[in-house]
Amino acid sequence: MSIIGQLMKINYSGIITYSFYNEPLLDDRIEKRIAYVKKNLPQCRQLITTNGDYLTLERLQSLSK
């Protein structure tokens, strides 16, 4: 079972933080991951910490959706 599946079983409502080697925007699938968590754990708060090197206006808009 996936980690998200395990968290769903316990109705997790804490924080999920994305780091991916300290730069989560290197992950081309980050938007899909965020959407998956939002769908399955809507009560969670999701955080991204980035230095902004890979942040563009288009990426920001994509992440905001």
Side-chain angles (χ1 to χ4, degrees), residues 4 7-8 12 16 36-44:
I4 299 303
L7 293 173
M8 288 168 58
Y12 183 73
I16 294 184
Y36 182 78
V37 170
K38 184 176 182 179
K39 177 183 175 186
N40 292 290
L41 295 169
Q43 66 279 16
C44 281

Side-chain angles (χ1 to χ4, degrees), residues 3 7 11 19-20 23-24 34 45 49 54 59 65:
I3 292 172
L7 293 173
N11 295 318
S19 60
F20 191 68
E23 186 45 68
I34 291 169
R45 182 172 178 204
T49 301
Y54 297 93
R59 192 73 189 266
K65 291 180 184 177

Side-chain angles (χ1 to χ4, degrees), residues 48-64:
I48 296 176
T49 301
T50 176
N51 61 17
D53 284 349
Y54 297 93
L55 186 62
T56 63
L57 181 57
E58 291 171 352
R59 192 73 189 266
L60 180 60
Q61 290 170 339
S62 177
L63 289 165
S64 295

